[in-house]
Amino acid sequence: MGDTPRSPTVDTRLQRIAEQAREHPEYTFTTLAHLMDEEWLREAYSRTRKDAAPGVDEVTAKEYGERLEENLRSLHGRLVDGSYRPAMIKRVWQEKEDGRRRPVGIPVVEDKVAQRAVEMLLSAVYEQDFYDFSHGFRKGHSPHQALHELREWCMENDVGWIVDADISGFFDNLGHDRIEEILKRRIRDGKLLRLIGKWLKAGVLDGGKIAFPEKGTPQGGVISPLLANIFLHYVLDEWFEKEAKPRMLGRVHLIRFADDFVIACELSSDANRLMEVLPKRFGRFGLELHPTKTRLIAFQKPDRKDGGGKPGSFDFLGIRHFWAKSQQGYWVIKRKTARKRLSRALKKIWAWCRDHRHYKLGEQYRHLCLMLRGHYQYYGIRGNFRLLEAVRDYAEHAWRFWLSKRSQKSLIPWKRFDVLRSIYPFPNPSIVHSNV
C-alpha cells in the first residue's frame, strides 16, 4: 500500500498501545493525539492508497506526495493548534444489486492522511477488543475467512436455522452522538473525539449541491469502516457474546463482515428468540433491521430426523449456501455465486463491451481479462466452477456480439471468431480458494 519504508518508531508506539489495551480491557485512553507527530503522519501517508480517486480539490496522492514534507508539516501544525478543518467530501453513486444506488464519499488526500493517522491509533486499541468472528475491514481478516468459518461451523455443529439479518441504511443512519458515546467507553482524548466529529459533520458535495449531514458516516472514508466496526462491536458482537448467547438453549454462532451478519442456530426456539430481540436491540441505537430482507431460514441437514422438509438456502457475502450431496453421497453445504451477484457481473461485462466496442482489440482484450480474473479471484471457491465457466462463456458471447456491431449488422461467424479467440484467449476459470 505504501511507497516508503515503515517507521520502526511508529510501530513501537502502536505495539505499546496495543499491549496496554490488551492487558487492561477496562482502561480508557485519555492522551493519544500527541503521538501524531510528523513521523506518524508520514507513516499514515505511506499506508494511504495512492490509486484512489481524488477529492473535491482534484489533488491526487502522487501530487500531494511531490511536496510531502511541506504538506505534512502544515497538516501537523493545524492538527496541533486546532485550526485543521476537513474539506468537503465528494459524493459519487454506485449501483447496488437491487438496482438502487448507494452513496460513496471521497475525501481529499490530506483528510485521508489525517483519518489514517487516527485510524492507526484507534485500531491499536480496538483490535484487542474485537472478536474473531468479526471479519470486515480488519488486517488479517477477509470475506473468505468469514465464509469458511460459517460453512465449517454449520457443518460441525448440526445447524438447523439461520438468522439472515439486514440493517437498513447502516452507514447513513449512524447517529453522531451515539458514535461519540460508544467511543468514550475506550477513548476520552478530546482532540481525537473533536477530529472525528469534524469528519462526521463535514459538508458533502453532490452534483453541485452541498449538504451537511446530521447523521451517518460516509462510505469511502478512511475512518468510516473502523467506526462501523466499533459501533457494531458494542451494539451487536459484545451484546451477543455476553448477554444473548448465555441465554440460548442450543449452540449459536455469529459471523459478521462489516454490517453484513448471520447467526447460525442449532434450535428453532433460539432462532425465533433472536428474531424477536434483534430489532429491539438495534432500535435502542437508532437503527432498523429491514422488515423483508431480515429472514429466518430453516437450514437443517436433509437427513436430520427432526427436519422440517426441504431446507432453504441463503446468501452471505455474495455466495449462496445450500445443502447437497457430495460425490461420496454425504450431505454437505455447497456454495455458488449468488443469483444477484451473477446477474450484476454479466450486466457489467455486457455494458463494458457495448461502451468500448470501438477500442483497439488488444485494449479490449486486456480489460476483459482483468474483469474475468477479478471475478475468479473472489468467486473461485470449491463447487462453483460451473458458474465461473458461465461467466467466461458469456464474456465471449458479449464480445462477439458488440464487435459485430462495429461494422456490420449480422454477427461475426463463429469460425471467424474462433480465429480471434485463438489470438486472444480468455483466461480459464480457476478455483482460487480451494480450502474455503
Side-chain angles (χ1 to χ4, degrees):
M1 181 180 294
D3 54 8
T4 59
R6 290 177 67 96
S7 166
T9 303
V10 172
D11 282 344
T12 299
R13 292 175 183 175
L14 289 172
Q15 289 171 10
R16 288 174 182 168
I17 297 170
E19 289 170 3
Q20 192 172 8
R22 183 167 54 251
E23 292 171 3
H24 305 283
E26 304 303 321
Y27 183 81
T28 301
F29 291 82
T30 57
T31 54
L32 289 174
H34 71 281
L35 296 173
M36 296 193 302
D37 55 17
E38 288 183 33
E39 184 176 6
W40 190 282
L41 294 176
R42 193 177 302 110
E43 177 68 17
Y45 172 79
S46 76
R47 299 187 185 193
T48 301
R49 282 184 57 186
K50 307 300 185 293
D51 59 347
V56 292
D57 61 0
E58 298 299 327
V59 174
T60 65
K62 181 180 178 181
E63 291 169 339
Y64 187 87
E66 290 172 356
R67 301 173 63 184
L68 183 62
E69 297 306 316
E70 180 182 342
N71 287 330
L72 295 183
R73 193 177 306 114
S74 171
L75 173 58
H76 178 251
R78 285 176 282 129
L79 288 172
V80 169
D81 65 22
S83 62
Y84 165 80
R85 294 289 183 274
M88 287 186 294
I89 297 169
K90 181 168 69 175
R91 174 173 286 172
V92 296
W93 294 86
Q94 292 183 350
E95 187 175 340
K96 297 176 67 174
E97 295 171 7
D98 57 8
R100 295 181 299 168
R101 298 188 305 162
R102 69 182 181 98
V104 175
I106 305 176
V108 300
V109 177
E110 178 176 85
D111 293 339
K112 291 178 183 179
V113 173
Q115 289 187 26
R116 180 63 68 193
V118 173
E119 184 270 342
M120 289 158 56
L121 285 172
L122 297 186
S123 289
V125 174
Y126 284 102
E127 275 297 321
Q128 318 315 311
D129 298 347
F130 291 157
Y131 291 95
D132 288 340
F133 57 72
S134 169
H135 294 282
F137 306 118
R138 294 177 61 193
K139 185 178 180 179
H141 292 259
S142 71
H144 294 95
Q145 283 183 313
L147 291 166
H148 177 72
E149 181 180 331
L150 174 60
R151 182 179 186 273
E152 293 303 304
W153 195 92
C154 290
M155 292 279 290
E156 294 172 4
N157 291 277
D158 202 24
V159 66
W161 302 84
I162 296 290
V163 176
D164 182 13
D166 183 279
I167 308 173
S168 296
F170 172 71
F171 284 91
D172 296 332
N173 290 298
L174 289 180
H176 295 169
D177 291 343
R178 288 189 172 95
I179 292 175
E180 182 177 353
E181 176 188 338
I182 286 176
L183 283 170
K184 283 182 177 178
R185 299 187 184 192
R186 265 303 218 174
I187 307 294
R188 286 190 175 271
D189 185 315
K191 282 192 174 182
L192 289 187
L193 294 176
R194 284 192 292 274
L195 274 175
I196 292 170
K198 289 178 181 180
W199 292 324
L200 292 175
K201 294 176 172 60
V204 177
L205 180 63
D206 184 359
K209 297 182 179 179
I210 300 175
F212 293 90
E214 297 180 358
K215 60 181 180 179
T217 177
Q219 296 183 65
V222 173
I223 199 71
S224 295
L226 178 58
L227 293 179
N229 269 339
I230 294 170
F231 196 92
L232 286 174
H233 169 75
Y234 288 107
V235 173
L236 177 63
D237 302 353
E238 190 173 73
W239 167 82
F240 178 82
E241 282 294 302
K242 294 183 177 180
E243 297 185 38
K245 192 173 180 178
R247 293 184 171 91
M248 300 293 106
L249 299 177
R251 289 166 290 189
V252 294
H253 188 57
L254 166 67
I255 298 174
R256 180 171 70 81
F257 190 93
D259 60 326
D260 291 329
F261 70 94
V262 294
I263 304 176
C265 306
E266 179 185 6
L267 304 177
S268 62
S269 58
D270 291 338
N272 280 291
R273 177 63 178 150
L274 287 168
M275 285 291 289
E276 180 183 344
V277 299
L278 276 171
K280 299 175 184 176
R281 176 65 183 175
F282 279 95
R284 285 180 55 189
F285 296 88
L287 296 172
E288 294 182 358
L289 294 184
H290 197 286
T292 58
K293 293 182 179 180
T294 299
R295 303 179 302 145
L296 178 58
I297 300 155
F299 200 66
Q300 298 99 333
K301 186 188 297 187
D303 61 359
R304 260 178 61 162
K305 293 181 180 179
D306 62 340
K310 184 179 179 181
S313 61
F314 67 95
D315 296 343
F316 182 57
L317 301 181
I319 301 293
R320 172 147 296 192
H321 297 69
F322 58 98
W323 286 100
K325 281 195 173 182
S326 67
Q327 292 181 346
Q328 292 76 29
Y330 301 110
W331 285 105
V332 296
I333 296 175
K334 292 191 175 183
R335 285 89 50 85
K336 63 181 180 181
T337 310
R339 186 179 297 110
K340 288 183 179 179
R341 290 287 187 93
L342 180 62
S343 175
R344 184 174 70 178
L346 300 183
K347 288 179 180 178
K348 187 176 180 181
I349 290 171
W350 183 266
W352 195 93
C353 290
R354 178 195 64 209
D355 297 340
H356 300 84
R357 62 185 182 272
H358 295 296
Y359 280 36
K360 293 180 179 179
L361 285 179
E363 194 172 342
Q364 291 188 50
Y365 169 72
R366 284 188 292 273
H367 187 86
L368 287 169
C369 287
L370 287 175
M371 294 178 75
L372 288 172
R373 290 193 183 99
H375 187 85
Y376 302 159
Q377 185 65 36
Y378 187 87
Y379 296 101
I381 60 176
R382 284 183 299 166
N384 198 35
F385 192 82
R386 186 178 63 81
L387 287 184
L388 299 182
E389 286 186 314
V391 172
R392 182 203 58 198
D393 294 345
Y394 184 87
E396 290 184 341
H397 162 74
W399 201 29
R400 172 178 176 245
F401 181 88
W402 286 109
L403 286 179
S404 300
K405 296 295 182 179
R406 298 209 306 183
S407 59
Q408 58 192 63
K409 294 183 179 179
S410 59
L411 288 177
I412 298 172
W414 275 111
K415 284 187 177 181
R416 182 179 161 195
F417 188 70
D418 285 340
V419 175
L420 185 68
R421 285 194 297 187
S422 68
I423 301 171
Y424 299 110
F426 282 165
N428 289 321
S430 59
I431 300 302
V432 180
H433 307 282
S434 58
N435 296 322
V436 173

